PDB file of all heavy atoms in Angstrom:
ATOM      1  N   VAL A 636    -192.419 -95.242  86.600  1.00 50.00           N
ATOM      2  CA  VAL A 636    -191.438 -96.323  86.415  1.00 50.00           C
ATOM      3  C   VAL A 636    -190.429 -95.954  85.326  1.00 50.00           C
ATOM      4  O   VAL A 636    -189.243 -96.236  85.420  1.00 50.00           O
ATOM      5  CB  VAL A 636    -192.158 -97.637  86.072  1.00 50.00           C
ATOM      6  CG1 VAL A 636    -191.143 -98.707  85.689  1.00 50.00           C
ATOM      7  CG2 VAL A 636    -192.976 -98.100  87.269  1.00 50.00           C
ATOM      8  N   ALA A 637    -190.882 -95.287  84.255  1.00 52.00           N
ATOM      9  CA  ALA A 637    -189.972 -94.898  83.167  1.00 52.00           C
ATOM     10  C   ALA A 637    -188.916 -93.903  83.635  1.00 52.00           C
ATOM     11  O   ALA A 637    -187.742 -93.970  83.271  1.00 52.00           O
ATOM     12  CB  ALA A 637    -190.775 -94.329  82.007  1.00 52.00           C
ATOM     13  N   VAL A 638    -189.367 -92.937  84.499  1.00 48.00           N
ATOM     14  CA  VAL A 638    -188.414 -91.950  85.040  1.00 48.00           C
ATOM     15  C   VAL A 638    -187.393 -92.614  85.928  1.00 48.00           C
ATOM     16  O   VAL A 638    -186.198 -92.347  85.884  1.00 48.00           O
ATOM     17  CB  VAL A 638    -189.187 -90.850  85.789  1.00 48.00           C
ATOM     18  CG1 VAL A 638    -188.204 -89.924  86.512  1.00 48.00           C
ATOM     19  CG2 VAL A 638    -190.050 -90.062  84.830  1.00 48.00           C
ATOM     20  N   LEU A 639    -187.933 -93.554  86.767  1.00 51.00           N
ATOM     21  CA  LEU A 639    -187.002 -94.276  87.649  1.00 51.00           C
ATOM     22  C   LEU A 639    -186.028 -95.138  86.861  1.00 51.00           C
ATOM     23  O   LEU A 639    -184.859 -95.262  87.200  1.00 51.00           O
ATOM     24  CB  LEU A 639    -187.821 -95.129  88.628  1.00 51.00           C
ATOM     25  CG  LEU A 639    -187.001 -95.912  89.673  1.00 51.00           C
ATOM     26  CD1 LEU A 639    -186.228 -94.929  90.566  1.00 51.00           C
ATOM     27  CD2 LEU A 639    -187.929 -96.766  90.546  1.00 51.00           C
ATOM     28  N   ALA A 640    -186.480 -95.725  85.754  1.00 49.00           N
ATOM     29  CA  ALA A 640    -185.600 -96.587  84.938  1.00 49.00           C
ATOM     30  C   ALA A 640    -184.506 -95.802  84.253  1.00 49.00           C
ATOM     31  O   ALA A 640    -183.425 -96.303  83.999  1.00 49.00           O
ATOM     32  CB  ALA A 640    -186.449 -97.333  83.902  1.00 49.00           C
ATOM     33  N   ASP A 641    -184.798 -94.555  83.953  1.00 53.00           N
ATOM     34  CA  ASP A 641    -183.776 -93.739  83.282  1.00 53.00           C
ATOM     35  C   ASP A 641    -182.640 -93.375  84.224  1.00 53.00           C
ATOM     36  O   ASP A 641    -181.544 -93.041  83.796  1.00 53.00           O
ATOM     37  CB  ASP A 641    -184.440 -92.483  82.740  1.00 53.00           C
ATOM     38  CG  ASP A 641    -183.465 -91.632  81.944  1.00 53.00           C
ATOM     39  OD1 ASP A 641    -182.911 -92.139  80.948  1.00 53.00           O
ATOM     40  OD2 ASP A 641    -183.252 -90.460  82.343  1.00 53.00           O
ATOM     41  N   GLN A 642    -182.898 -93.406  85.558  1.00 51.00           N
ATOM     42  CA  GLN A 642    -181.885 -93.013  86.541  1.00 51.00           C
ATOM     43  C   GLN A 642    -181.126 -94.209  87.081  1.00 51.00           C
ATOM     44  O   GLN A 642    -180.199 -94.042  87.862  1.00 51.00           O
ATOM     45  CB  GLN A 642    -182.549 -92.263  87.697  1.00 51.00           C
ATOM     46  CG  GLN A 642    -183.194 -90.951  87.241  1.00 51.00           C
ATOM     47  CD  GLN A 642    -183.916 -90.259  88.395  1.00 51.00           C
ATOM     48  OE1 GLN A 642    -183.998 -90.807  89.499  1.00 51.00           O
ATOM     49  NE2 GLN A 642    -184.426 -89.053  88.129  1.00 51.00           N
ATOM     50  N   THR A 643    -181.513 -95.383  86.724  1.00 49.00           N
ATOM     51  CA  THR A 643    -180.837 -96.580  87.226  1.00 49.00           C
ATOM     52  C   THR A 643    -180.218 -97.314  86.072  1.00 49.00           C
ATOM     53  O   THR A 643    -180.551 -97.112  84.918  1.00 49.00           O
ATOM     54  CB  THR A 643    -181.817 -97.509  87.959  1.00 49.00           C
ATOM     55  OG1 THR A 643    -182.826 -97.899  87.061  1.00 49.00           O
ATOM     56  CG2 THR A 643    -182.417 -96.801  89.170  1.00 49.00           C
ATOM     57  N   SER A 644    -179.290 -98.206  86.408  1.00 45.00           N
ATOM     58  CA  SER A 644    -178.587 -98.962  85.388  1.00 45.00           C
ATOM     59  C   SER A 644    -179.302-100.251  85.048  1.00 45.00           C
ATOM     60  O   SER A 644    -179.032-100.834  84.019  1.00 45.00           O
ATOM     61  CB  SER A 644    -177.157 -99.267  85.866  1.00 45.00           C
ATOM     62  OG  SER A 644    -177.211-100.033  87.047  1.00 45.00           O
ATOM     63  N   HIS A 645    -180.230-100.711  85.872  1.00 45.00           N
ATOM     64  CA  HIS A 645    -180.919-101.966  85.577  1.00 45.00           C
ATOM     65  C   HIS A 645    -182.301-101.955  86.265  1.00 45.00           C
ATOM     66  O   HIS A 645    -182.394-101.910  87.479  1.00 45.00           O
ATOM     67  CB  HIS A 645    -180.105-103.148  86.089  1.00 45.00           C
ATOM     68  CG  HIS A 645    -180.729-104.465  85.755  1.00 45.00           C
ATOM     69  ND1 HIS A 645    -180.625-105.026  84.502  1.00 45.00           N
ATOM     70  CD2 HIS A 645    -181.483-105.309  86.504  1.00 45.00           C
ATOM     71  CE1 HIS A 645    -181.267-106.189  84.490  1.00 45.00           C
ATOM     72  NE2 HIS A 645    -181.814-106.374  85.709  1.00 45.00           N
ATOM     73  N   VAL A 646    -183.404-101.921  85.474  1.00 41.00           N
ATOM     74  CA  VAL A 646    -184.788-101.870  86.025  1.00 41.00           C
ATOM     75  C   VAL A 646    -185.648-102.918  85.331  1.00 41.00           C
ATOM     76  O   VAL A 646    -185.600-103.035  84.098  1.00 41.00           O
ATOM     77  CB  VAL A 646    -185.420-100.463  85.824  1.00 41.00           C
ATOM     78  CG1 VAL A 646    -186.848-100.460  86.341  1.00 41.00           C
ATOM     79  CG2 VAL A 646    -184.584 -99.410  86.551  1.00 41.00           C
ATOM     80  N   SER A 647    -186.411-103.632  86.078  1.00 43.00           N
ATOM     81  CA  SER A 647    -187.353-104.626  85.527  1.00 43.00           C
ATOM     82  C   SER A 647    -188.765-104.095  85.674  1.00 43.00           C
ATOM     83  O   SER A 647    -189.165-103.658  86.758  1.00 43.00           O
ATOM     84  CB  SER A 647    -187.221-105.972  86.268  1.00 43.00           C
ATOM     85  OG  SER A 647    -185.928-106.491  86.080  1.00 43.00           O
ATOM     86  N   ILE A 648    -189.544-104.106  84.586  1.00 41.00           N
ATOM     87  CA  ILE A 648    -190.937-103.607  84.592  1.00 41.00           C
ATOM     88  C   ILE A 648    -191.865-104.766  84.254  1.00 41.00           C
ATOM     89  O   ILE A 648    -191.646-105.463  83.276  1.00 41.00           O
ATOM     90  CB  ILE A 648    -191.118-102.470  83.567  1.00 41.00           C
ATOM     91  CG1 ILE A 648    -190.117-101.319  83.880  1.00 41.00           C
ATOM     92  CG2 ILE A 648    -192.531-101.958  83.566  1.00 41.00           C
ATOM     93  CD1 ILE A 648    -190.152-100.235  82.848  1.00 41.00           C
ATOM     94  N   VAL A 656    -189.625-106.872  81.674  1.00 45.00           N
ATOM     95  CA  VAL A 656    -188.716-106.408  80.604  1.00 45.00           C
ATOM     96  C   VAL A 656    -187.520-105.742  81.260  1.00 45.00           C
ATOM     97  O   VAL A 656    -187.692-104.842  82.071  1.00 45.00           O
ATOM     98  CB  VAL A 656    -189.435-105.434  79.659  1.00 45.00           C
ATOM     99  CG1 VAL A 656    -188.459-104.952  78.584  1.00 45.00           C
ATOM    100  CG2 VAL A 656    -190.653-106.102  79.064  1.00 45.00           C
ATOM    101  N   SER A 657    -186.346-106.188  80.912  1.00 46.00           N
ATOM    102  CA  SER A 657    -185.111-105.639  81.509  1.00 46.00           C
ATOM    103  C   SER A 657    -184.534-104.570  80.602  1.00 46.00           C
ATOM    104  O   SER A 657    -184.449-104.752  79.381  1.00 46.00           O
ATOM    105  CB  SER A 657    -184.068-106.747  81.709  1.00 46.00           C
ATOM    106  OG  SER A 657    -184.576-107.717  82.616  1.00 46.00           O
ATOM    107  N   HIS A 658    -184.175-103.448  81.198  1.00 47.00           N
ATOM    108  CA  HIS A 658    -183.532-102.338  80.482  1.00 47.00           C
ATOM    109  C   HIS A 658    -182.135-102.113  81.063  1.00 47.00           C
ATOM    110  O   HIS A 658    -181.980-102.056  82.282  1.00 47.00           O
ATOM    111  CB  HIS A 658    -184.373-101.043  80.618  1.00 47.00           C
ATOM    112  CG  HIS A 658    -185.727-101.161  80.009  1.00 47.00           C
ATOM    113  ND1 HIS A 658    -185.981-100.893  78.669  1.00 47.00           N
ATOM    114  CD2 HIS A 658    -186.944-101.515  80.574  1.00 47.00           C
ATOM    115  CE1 HIS A 658    -187.260-101.074  78.423  1.00 47.00           C
ATOM    116  NE2 HIS A 658    -187.876-101.460  79.567  1.00 47.00           N
ATOM    117  N   HIS A 659    -181.172-102.001  80.209  1.00 47.00           N
ATOM    118  CA  HIS A 659    -179.763-101.736  80.638  1.00 47.00           C
ATOM    119  C   HIS A 659    -179.369-100.363  80.124  1.00 47.00           C
ATOM    120  O   HIS A 659    -179.561-100.058  78.956  1.00 47.00           O
ATOM    121  CB  HIS A 659    -178.808-102.793  80.061  1.00 47.00           C
ATOM    122  CG  HIS A 659    -179.123-104.189  80.576  1.00 47.00           C
ATOM    123  ND1 HIS A 659    -178.633-104.670  81.767  1.00 47.00           N
ATOM    124  CD2 HIS A 659    -179.905-105.175  80.053  1.00 47.00           C
ATOM    125  CE1 HIS A 659    -179.067-105.911  81.943  1.00 47.00           C
ATOM    126  NE2 HIS A 659    -179.849-106.226  80.906  1.00 47.00           N
ATOM    127  N   SER A 660    -178.877 -99.583  81.013  1.00 47.00           N
ATOM    128  CA  SER A 660    -178.388 -98.255  80.619  1.00 47.00           C
ATOM    129  C   SER A 660    -177.121 -97.925  81.405  1.00 47.00           C
ATOM    130  O   SER A 660    -176.887 -98.509  82.460  1.00 47.00           O
ATOM    131  CB  SER A 660    -179.448 -97.172  80.863  1.00 47.00           C
ATOM    132  OG  SER A 660    -179.725 -97.095  82.265  1.00 47.00           O
ATOM    133  N   SER A 661    -176.385 -97.030  80.912  1.00 45.00           N
ATOM    134  CA  SER A 661    -175.133 -96.632  81.585  1.00 45.00           C
ATOM    135  C   SER A 661    -175.020 -95.126  81.548  1.00 45.00           C
ATOM    136  O   SER A 661    -175.264 -94.507  80.524  1.00 45.00           O
ATOM    137  CB  SER A 661    -173.922 -97.270  80.884  1.00 45.00           C
ATOM    138  OG  SER A 661    -172.737 -96.802  81.483  1.00 45.00           O
ATOM    139  N   SER A 662    -174.741 -94.573  82.690  1.00 46.00           N
ATOM    140  CA  SER A 662    -174.601 -93.114  82.771  1.00 46.00           C
ATOM    141  C   SER A 662    -173.203 -92.641  82.377  1.00 46.00           C
ATOM    142  O   SER A 662    -172.944 -91.460  82.330  1.00 46.00           O
ATOM    143  CB  SER A 662    -174.919 -92.639  84.199  1.00 46.00           C
ATOM    144  OG  SER A 662    -174.028 -93.245  85.120  1.00 46.00           O
ATOM    145  N   HIS A 663    -172.268 -93.574  82.101  1.00 47.00           N
ATOM    146  CA  HIS A 663    -170.900 -93.202  81.708  1.00 47.00           C
ATOM    147  C   HIS A 663    -170.589 -93.805  80.353  1.00 47.00           C
ATOM    148  O   HIS A 663    -171.011 -94.912  80.041  1.00 47.00           O
ATOM    149  CB  HIS A 663    -169.884 -93.707  82.742  1.00 47.00           C
ATOM    150  CG  HIS A 663    -170.126 -93.164  84.127  1.00 47.00           C
ATOM    151  ND1 HIS A 663    -169.762 -91.895  84.502  1.00 47.00           N
ATOM    152  CD2 HIS A 663    -170.752 -93.730  85.201  1.00 47.00           C
ATOM    153  CE1 HIS A 663    -170.112 -91.715  85.769  1.00 47.00           C
ATOM    154  NE2 HIS A 663    -170.717 -92.807  86.218  1.00 47.00           N
ATOM    155  N   HIS A 664    -169.897 -93.063  79.548  1.00 48.00           N
ATOM    156  CA  HIS A 664    -169.454 -93.533  78.246  1.00 48.00           C
ATOM    157  C   HIS A 664    -167.998 -93.967  78.339  1.00 48.00           C
ATOM    158  O   HIS A 664    -167.156 -93.281  78.941  1.00 48.00           O
ATOM    159  CB  HIS A 664    -169.589 -92.419  77.191  1.00 48.00           C
ATOM    160  CG  HIS A 664    -171.021 -91.993  77.005  1.00 48.00           C
ATOM    161  ND1 HIS A 664    -171.942 -92.710  76.290  1.00 48.00           N
ATOM    162  CD2 HIS A 664    -171.687 -90.904  77.487  1.00 48.00           C
ATOM    163  CE1 HIS A 664    -173.102 -92.087  76.304  1.00 48.00           C
ATOM    164  NE2 HIS A 664    -172.977 -90.979  77.040  1.00 48.00           N
ATOM    165  N   ALA A 665    -167.662 -95.062  77.719  1.00 47.00           N
ATOM    166  CA  ALA A 665    -166.282 -95.563  77.741  1.00 47.00           C
ATOM    167  C   ALA A 665    -165.355 -94.581  77.019  1.00 47.00           C
ATOM    168  O   ALA A 665    -165.684 -94.106  75.943  1.00 47.00           O
ATOM    169  CB  ALA A 665    -166.209 -96.946  77.074  1.00 47.00           C
TER     170      ALA A 665
END
Side-chain angles (χ1 to χ4, degrees):
V636 172
V638 173
L639 183 62
D641 184 59
Q642 296 177 355
T643 60
S644 61
H645 183 79
V646 178
S647 298
I648 303 175
V656 179
S657 298
H658 297 273
H659 297 275
S660 63
S661 176
S662 60
H663 301 282
H664 298 283

